[in-house]
Amino acid sequence: MDIKDFHKATNPARTLKARNEEDQKCYIDFSEVRGEDIISTLKDSITIWNPDEPTCNLFTGHIGCGKSTELLRLQVELEAADFYVVYFESSEDLEITDVDIADVFLAIASRISKSLEEIVLEEPKKFQELLQGAWNILNSEVTGVKGKFAGQDIGYTVDGQKLSLSLGIGEITTKMKSDPTLRTKINQYLAPQKTNLIKAINQELLEPAISKLKQQDKNGLVVIVDNLDRIENTVKPWGRTQQEYIFVDQGEYLTQLNCHVIYTMPLALKFSNEYGILTQRFPERPKILPMVPVKYSDGSIHQQGLELMRQMILARAFPNLAPEDRLNKITDIFDTPATLDRLCQVSGGHVRDILKLLNPWIMKDKKFPLQGNTLEQIIRDQRNDFSLRLSAEEWQLLRHVKETKEVSDDLGYQKLIRSRFVFEYRDQGELWFDINPILAESEKLSE
């Protein structure tokens, strides 16, 4: 294998897409060692138990643990079951440092209307009335918009040509994302009307669209809102954290769309004092994608988990080989099999972090086989980087995690989870936590 091809194949920013045949050769199914096939659980909830009733599910896990890859696989499986699926990354539409509930609904409406443009729906009059108010704010605040759209209904351009609903909403959401002042003004207008906004989306977009889809022999509509777990935990002007505001205070509204919806949720909320209230807002408890275990809670090697992590790396080097044949090629890529195992173990089973170690390693060595001493240098550099971000109190919390394999709902633990200093694992239904192995080797944990 060419070293440049391997570097490209191990890009941490690239999500494996279930539709792509070459990507599927690199896909490794970790469900058996993670304790549950959560994607099958989500699929069954929609296709078997509630095909004709709206469902709302939350999906969470460490950022980078493979949620997007699994959700894209879910999309393909739902489409094979004759559901129409709208998947989108909400971070493309939302300013993740400042999100309001109206932003979320506008993003969803925009993506649905764009995806379903070929389906002819009646003019959404109530929806347009609501958006016209936002459009008026846009016209009055943004230079250049007035000349193009002033005095026109949101559904039409100045020359009388029909403007798609998705384009109309897209103009608003794009301006909102880039201009915080404008975003505040439009949210001040839309937030008090969120009930009417949801009603308009349901009655004028979702329900007629689903009716048309069923005429085309589809079983229903599923919306997957990815990357909502990435919204930052900033504090709103009234003192509420953004994550708790969206998923706890506004959680009831998130459940009111009349279609199947899956939202990704920040994992830190699982450790919030408000988590109990959050679970009351949603019909089902959040589904959690845990880490891939490469060891047990007692420190012994988890052989099956380690083997799957090996295959994750080897599949990117030798996608066309059978798993057992790839094992014979380890020393074509690494100086020793032990070096590959070291990479897998120090990643803690985090599927993006292992690539974040491997990708710069490839750039440093520039040739095969990759040398173990280079990996150790990268590990030390990353450990030093992590250590600089930790306070004395946080080191004490890490010592507690190391000893007990548990965390509490303390705000300090929320930061440790969010920053990937602590990982969550499942073992035959039992939950346990451990320190990121890169930090676990720090001498400070023994102080």
Side-chain angles (χ1 to χ4, degrees):
M1 184 176 187
D2 183 79
I3 193 78
K4 292 182 180 179
D5 290 340
F6 191 49
H7 178 260
K8 182 178 179 180
T10 58
N11 180 0
R14 189 170 72 91
T15 300
L16 296 181
K17 295 178 172 59
R19 295 184 191 280
N20 186 305
E21 185 178 342
E22 292 302 313
D23 279 0
Q24 280 310 292
K25 294 178 182 178
C26 298
Y27 175 76
I28 303 297
D29 184 358
F30 293 112
S31 59
E32 188 172 349
V33 296
R34 278 174 160 158
E36 179 187 359
D37 188 347
I38 295 172
I39 295 306
S40 292
T41 301
L42 289 169
K43 177 187 173 183
D44 291 348
S45 173
I46 294 169
T47 61
I48 297 176
W49 307 116
N50 303 285
D52 299 314
E53 296 293 331
T55 63
C56 181
N57 279 282
L58 298 176
F59 184 46
T60 190
H62 291 277
I63 290 177
C65 71
K67 294 188 299 298
S68 295
T69 295
E70 295 300 319
L71 287 173
L72 289 168
R73 180 166 69 91
L74 175 63
Q75 178 185 12
V76 170
E77 293 188 9
L78 287 170
E79 289 173 345
D82 292 323
F83 281 81
Y84 190 94
V85 183
V86 177
Y87 167 92
F88 72 100
E89 297 177 350
S90 58
S91 54
E92 295 182 358
D93 300 321
L94 305 174
E95 174 48 61
I96 61 172
T97 61
D98 181 20
V99 178
D100 207 302
I101 192 66
D103 301 345
V104 178
F105 288 129
L106 283 179
I108 292 171
S110 175
R111 293 295 184 140
I112 292 173
S113 59
K114 183 176 182 179
S115 183
L116 296 173
E117 279 182 343
E118 294 182 0
I119 295 179
V120 179
L121 303 176
E122 293 185 10
E123 187 176 347
K125 295 181 180 179
K126 293 179 181 178
F127 196 21
Q128 285 190 351
E129 287 176 6
L130 284 168
L131 294 179
Q132 190 63 51
W135 202 256
N136 291 339
I137 295 171
L138 196 64
N139 284 340
S140 64
E141 296 290 334
V142 181
T143 303
V145 175
K146 180 178 290 188
K148 185 176 181 182
F149 295 103
Q152 302 296 320
D153 289 337
I154 194 168
Y156 297 87
T157 60
V158 289
D159 58 3
Q161 295 296 311
K162 183 69 174 156
L163 178 69
S164 70
L165 182 63
S166 63
L167 181 57
I169 305 172
E171 289 279 352
I172 294 173
T173 56
T174 298
K175 297 296 183 185
M176 287 175 68
K177 183 175 181 179
S178 61
D179 187 331
T181 301
L182 184 63
R183 184 166 59 249
T184 298
K185 290 186 177 182
I186 292 180
N187 274 316
Q188 286 173 346
Y189 162 71
L190 286 175
Q193 303 188 71
K194 55 181 173 282
T195 299
N196 291 331
L197 179 60
I198 295 169
K199 186 176 180 181
I201 292 172
N202 283 334
Q203 294 180 351
E204 298 185 334
L205 181 58
L206 293 178
E207 291 168 11
I210 291 171
S211 178
K212 295 273 189 177
L213 287 169
K214 290 193 172 183
Q215 292 174 19
Q216 300 176 6
D217 295 325
K218 295 296 183 183
N219 289 323
L221 172 66
V222 183
V223 179
I224 301 176
V225 187
D226 200 359
N227 287 1
L228 204 56
D229 58 315
R230 297 186 182 186
I231 63 172
E232 295 186 9
N233 208 24
T234 50
V235 178
K236 292 289 188 181
W238 55 90
R240 189 66 155 161
T241 66
Q242 180 171 249
Q243 293 178 358
E244 290 177 344
Y245 166 70
I246 293 294
F247 287 95
V248 180
D249 300 349
Q250 306 297 320
E252 182 179 354
Y253 295 100
L254 292 175
T255 69
Q256 292 180 8
L257 294 178
N258 287 345
C259 66
H260 302 287
V261 189
I262 299 170
Y263 303 99
T264 54
M265 178 196 86
L267 180 62
L269 281 173
K270 185 170 176 286
F271 307 94
S272 165
N273 292 329
E274 302 286 339
Y275 184 68
I277 299 175
L278 182 149
T279 59
Q280 297 301 312
R281 297 281 195 266
F282 292 86
E284 297 189 40
R285 297 180 72 84
K287 308 296 189 297
I288 301 170
L289 188 69
M291 305 296 293
V292 177
V294 289
K295 67 177 182 179
Y296 292 98
S297 57
D298 63 6
S300 60
I301 300 299
H302 193 299
Q303 292 295 344
Q304 187 179 8
L306 181 60
E307 173 58 27
L308 289 173
M309 290 299 289
R310 288 189 195 113
Q311 288 294 334
M312 176 189 160
I313 299 303
L314 294 173
R316 282 165 165 76
F318 309 107
N320 296 313
L321 293 183
E324 57 273 17
D325 293 332
R326 292 171 188 156
L327 296 174
N328 297 324
K329 296 283 190 177
I330 291 177
T331 52
D332 287 4
I333 303 297
F334 303 97
D335 56 359
T336 68
T339 296
L340 173 57
D341 285 357
R342 170 66 167 157
L343 172 67
C344 295
Q345 290 167 341
V346 81
S347 74
H350 191 292
V351 297
R352 183 178 295 170
D353 278 5
I354 195 171
L355 298 179
K356 284 188 172 182
L357 290 168
L358 178 55
N359 211 239
W361 182 10
I362 296 168
M363 289 191 288
K364 281 181 177 293
D365 277 358
K366 299 186 181 67
K367 63 180 181 179
F368 296 128
L370 301 176
Q371 300 297 306
N373 58 353
T374 308
L375 173 61
E376 295 304 324
Q377 178 186 342
I378 292 170
I379 292 170
R380 286 193 299 272
D381 290 344
Q382 191 165 123
R383 184 185 304 123
N384 291 337
D385 179 58
F386 280 0
S387 298
L388 291 173
R389 293 152 52 191
L390 287 162
S391 66
E393 292 78 11
E394 288 162 344
W395 278 111
Q396 187 57 42
L397 291 174
L398 287 174
R399 294 183 192 103
H400 178 76
V401 173
K402 180 181 179 181
E403 293 171 4
T404 66
K405 309 301 180 185
E406 297 177 351
V407 302
S408 73
D409 60 0
D410 184 273
L411 287 175
Y413 286 109
Q414 289 191 45
K415 177 184 176 182
L416 297 180
I417 294 289
R418 190 170 63 251
S419 301
R420 306 193 322 280
F421 296 147
V422 171
F423 292 154
E424 176 178 331
Y425 300 91
R426 301 274 168 142
D427 183 11
Q428 298 181 344
E430 294 298 320
L431 177 68
W432 61 283
F433 298 84
D434 209 351
I435 302 169
N436 185 322
I438 287 179
L439 274 173
E441 298 176 0
S442 173
E443 294 180 359
K444 289 190 176 183
L445 286 175
S446 304
E447 293 178 0

